[in-house]
Amino acid sequence: APGTDPRSLGWDGHTLWHCDNDTALFYQLNPHNGAVLRSFAAPEAVPNGVVIVRNSLWAVCDTTHSLYQIALN
């Protein structure tokens, strides 16, 4: 995992998605070699839980218990 505090792993049918509490980033990963394809900041610190549905990344924040939908287009 690219960060030091990995929390979740999701699959969009082509690539893996991962969030990390230490970096507060979401990562898109190559499923064959684990290389980071892109990354972006979570809406709040302490992201957890990643689910990909129809070009959207859904995640929750551990501290506020908020649910977020992030468009991946």
Side-chain angles (χ1 to χ4, degrees):
T4 59
D5 194 7
R7 289 299 166 142
S8 187
L9 192 63
W11 173 252
D12 67 9
H14 303 285
T15 59
L16 295 168
W17 289 87
H18 154 69
C19 63
D20 187 273
N21 277 1
D22 188 44
T23 62
L25 293 173
F26 292 105
Y27 297 94
Q28 183 182 24
L29 306 172
N30 180 314
H32 301 289
N33 61 19
V36 176
L37 301 174
R38 70 172 162 161
S39 63
F40 54 89
E44 292 187 65
V46 197
N48 198 351
V50 173
V51 176
I52 309 298
V53 179
R54 296 187 199 100
N55 282 334
S56 290
L57 182 150
W58 291 82
V60 295
C61 175
D62 271 356
T63 55
T64 64
H65 305 285
S66 300
L67 175 66
Y68 294 98
Q69 179 184 13
I70 302 165
L72 295 176
N73 300 344

